Amino acid sequence: MIDQTMPPPTLSGPSVSRWWGCFPELRRDTLGFLLRCHIYGDVVKLPMGLVVGLFLRQRDAALYVLHHPADVKHVLVTNQENYRKAPVPPVESRIFGQGVLHTEGETHHCQRRLLLPFFHGNHVTAYADLITGKAHDLVAQWQDGKTVDIGQEMTHLTLSVIWRLLFGQDVRSENDTIREAISSGQSLIKLQYDSVLASVTPLWIPIPRHRRFTRGFRVIEERMFRFIRERRMASEQHDDVLSLLLSATDTEGRPLSDEEIRDELMTFLLAGHDTTANALTWTWFLLSQFRSIRERLTSELNEVLGTRLPTASDVPRLQYMKMIWDESLRLYPPAWTLHTRLAHAQDRLPSGAVLPPGAWVFISPWSLHRNARWFPDPNRFDPERFSEVTNRIRPPFSYIPFGAGGRRCLGESFAELEGLLILATIASKVRLRLVDGQTIHPEPVMTLRPDVPVQMTVQRVKITEPHPIVA
């Protein structure tokens, strides 16, 4: 029940189209529009328009954008049972199926309990040598003065790591096919979120974007099903996610079907490398523009590592590098928006706003992280925001690059360790300088990626052993 003793605040928002609601603005400038909504208060009501309302069978359908951390906590944690995931576009459903990313209720809880141990604790640290070895091999191929597409390089690197984690073998000729399929899938998902017409156009209609998507994902699926069949017939044991899924059972004690295993593998393949690759790309982009921050990082790496490769036990000592990583995720969170939630029943938020049944609740880490109330001068790159002192005083749930609550990113620990180990390995060997004349903006598709290739020049750095401490 809602406490009626205090009237709810009046919800406001920008002027929108009567017929198409907020979608023309969202499509034209998604990220800028979300930031401009800050001036309208803690909860911004964005009517979805008569056309979308008719399609959804909700006459007054509206998005409610949350800007206050207390409200975010309420929806994602305190009263999360009142909020379910909103329907997703057909192409997103086609990609992820009934994997852990899209399920609800007891099925979702069981999937998390099954998979969580593999992405935490010893399973995570056991892959440290794999991560640093592949990062070292990559940087060894870069000649001094060479220009590289750093986004493409990071994608190849993180894909090779997650492929080994999932299947216990190296990715080979599939690398380019997977990357192109993911890119076409991301663009199609964004289009279907932005356009009612695109969201109701069946994938079997042979238009070019559908053909590109279907062709690429068919190759990935065929390879996955082949791995599953081969592994079912094999007698030797493997320590990878595929073996974990093959030995698992559902809520009724039955083995998982090939299709259920495929859904989980596809979820981790996409979520397990694209987000980390984008986070690393944005980190290199930021470091290239701030010499003093880059020099302080080099000093820390020299002091902690000297000439050797990093290990998992080094990560807690690389405190400034962790601050850089966190600040990069603040400015460019790969998961720039969380899945929209639908309110089951009327609910009063801590800010006082009352959400009606059927409200579409929108939470964006991009918007939260660039709110000047929680992060003064929010567009400035400043790793000191994540010092021990500032971490203690920042409002909880103002910084949520991995989400929160029961749907918090399952692979967070692995993604963070992977990102930090790659960052330490490469930054201790080379300096990456942004090629002059590039104009780079964030593009909000399935993840937040640069809108153009990020070209960077490789410069070898001198590595010095730390001076011995004289007693």
Side-chain angles (χ1 to χ4, degrees):
M1 296 294 291
I2 300 300
D3 181 5
Q4 301 295 341
T5 58
M6 293 183 62
T10 301
L11 299 179
S12 62
S15 299
V16 297
S17 164
R18 180 188 178 198
W19 292 100
W20 298 103
C22 57
F23 289 104
E25 280 294 313
L26 272 173
R27 185 173 186 178
R28 183 162 43 245
D29 181 19
T30 303
L31 300 177
F33 179 70
L34 290 174
L35 297 186
R36 291 191 291 274
C37 283
H38 286 164
I39 64 174
Y40 296 101
D42 291 333
V43 181
V44 181
K45 182 178 180 180
L46 299 176
M48 297 166 77
L50 296 177
V51 173
V52 177
L54 180 64
F55 175 73
L56 297 174
R57 298 180 181 179
Q58 286 183 252
R59 181 178 178 182
D60 298 318
L63 281 175
Y64 294 82
V65 183
L66 306 189
H67 289 154
H68 199 286
D71 290 345
V72 171
K73 178 183 179 182
H74 181 83
V75 170
L76 297 183
V77 179
T78 309
N79 197 28
Q80 61 180 295
E81 298 303 322
N82 187 54
Y83 298 89
R84 69 182 189 275
K85 280 171 53 66
V88 298
V91 67
E92 187 170 344
S93 180
R94 169 72 176 82
I95 292 171
F96 296 108
Q98 289 300 302
V100 67
L101 189 66
H102 281 170
T103 52
E104 294 276 8
E106 185 58 29
T107 300
H108 178 75
H109 296 323
C110 289
Q111 288 171 314
R112 286 187 67 91
R113 285 195 296 269
L114 168 67
L115 296 164
L116 189 61
F118 202 91
F119 292 92
H120 288 266
N122 292 335
H123 270 296
V124 170
T125 56
Y127 281 90
D129 289 344
L130 167 68
I131 296 166
T132 56
K134 286 190 173 294
H136 178 266
D137 290 345
L138 173 66
V139 79
Q141 300 171 18
W142 295 347
Q143 297 177 353
D144 194 38
K146 178 181 180 180
T147 297
V148 298
D149 176 346
I150 196 62
Q152 185 180 76
E153 297 287 334
M154 292 300 99
T155 298
H156 284 311
L157 177 56
T158 57
L159 178 59
S160 68
V161 171
I162 195 63
W163 196 269
R164 175 77 73 86
L165 181 69
L166 296 177
F167 306 112
Q169 59 180 257
D170 289 328
V171 62
R172 297 183 180 89
S173 58
E174 298 89 352
N175 201 317
D176 289 336
T177 300
I178 293 170
R179 184 170 51 82
E180 291 168 5
I182 291 170
S183 179
S184 66
Q186 284 191 331
S187 299
L188 192 50
I189 287 173
K190 180 66 164 59
L191 178 63
Q192 289 189 346
Y193 271 113
D194 289 343
S195 167
V196 173
L197 179 61
S199 70
V200 298
T201 304
L203 287 173
W204 54 261
I205 293 181
I207 56 180
R209 60 175 177 263
H210 288 179
R211 288 200 301 267
R212 285 193 301 270
F213 164 76
T214 303
R215 182 169 57 247
F217 270 88
R218 184 178 293 126
V219 171
I220 301 174
E221 280 186 321
E222 288 173 352
R223 179 53 55 94
M224 284 185 175
F225 284 126
R226 195 184 85 187
F227 284 156
I228 294 169
R229 291 193 301 269
E230 292 174 348
R231 192 67 65 82
R232 286 193 189 279
M233 295 184 294
S235 56
E236 67 271 19
Q237 295 295 315
H238 295 79
D239 185 23
D240 52 31
V241 175
L242 175 54
S243 291
L244 174 71
L245 294 170
L246 285 168
S247 64
T249 56
D250 62 17
T251 55
E252 298 179 3
R254 295 172 300 195
L256 301 183
S257 68
D258 288 2
E259 288 71 23
E260 288 172 315
I261 293 175
R262 172 264 179 220
D263 291 348
E264 301 296 0
L265 290 173
M266 191 68 79
T267 297
F268 282 115
L269 176 63
L270 270 64
H273 91 278
D274 188 59
T275 50
T276 307
N278 281 319
L280 285 162
T281 301
W282 287 119
T283 304
W284 297 125
F285 170 77
L286 291 165
L287 283 172
S288 70
Q289 300 174 72
F290 294 87
R291 181 176 178 179
S292 61
I293 294 174
R294 181 62 176 82
E295 288 179 348
R296 183 173 168 184
L297 172 61
T298 300
S299 177
E300 181 180 72
L301 291 170
N302 281 339
E303 180 181 347
V304 174
L305 302 179
T307 58
R308 64 178 175 82
L309 291 177
T311 65
S313 62
D314 291 319
V315 170
R317 300 172 58 201
L318 296 168
Q319 297 178 5
Y320 191 65
M321 186 181 71
K322 176 64 161 60
M323 291 160 59
I324 290 172
W325 178 253
D326 288 342
E327 175 69 345
S328 177
L329 289 179
R330 182 190 70 83
L331 282 169
Y332 298 103
W336 64 276
T337 180
L338 307 184
H339 281 290
T340 304
R341 267 64 169 182
L342 281 175
H344 173 69
Q346 181 173 281
D347 191 20
R348 183 188 289 271
L349 302 178
S351 63
V354 173
L355 302 183
W360 295 65
V361 183
F362 189 88
I363 298 171
S364 169
W366 162 269
S367 179
L368 277 172
H369 295 178
R370 289 182 181 247
N371 193 318
R373 286 188 293 173
W374 326 122
F375 298 97
D377 194 6
N379 296 325
R380 180 168 55 92
F381 179 53
D382 180 12
E384 293 296 334
R385 297 182 200 271
F386 291 91
S387 68
E388 186 176 348
V389 173
T390 52
N391 277 336
R392 285 200 301 266
I393 63 176
R394 183 182 304 111
F397 294 85
S398 60
Y399 177 70
I400 53 168
F402 294 96
R407 304 199 73 92
R408 186 169 180 139
C409 176
L410 197 59
E412 175 181 353
S413 295
F414 179 80
E416 181 172 281
L417 180 68
E418 181 187 23
L420 292 173
L421 287 174
I422 290 173
L423 184 59
T425 301
I426 295 179
S428 65
K429 306 295 183 184
V430 301
R431 182 190 301 272
L432 294 168
R433 183 179 63 81
L434 191 68
V435 173
D436 294 337
Q438 297 180 91
T439 301
I440 299 166
H441 300 290
E443 182 181 23
V445 284
M446 192 166 66
T447 54
L448 191 67
R449 67 185 184 188
D451 63 340
V452 295
V454 181
Q455 302 292 337
M456 308 196 87
T457 303
V458 176
Q459 296 177 330
R460 292 282 170 183
V461 300
K462 293 182 179 180
I463 305 172
T464 59
E465 292 282 5
H467 295 293
I469 298 175
V470 180

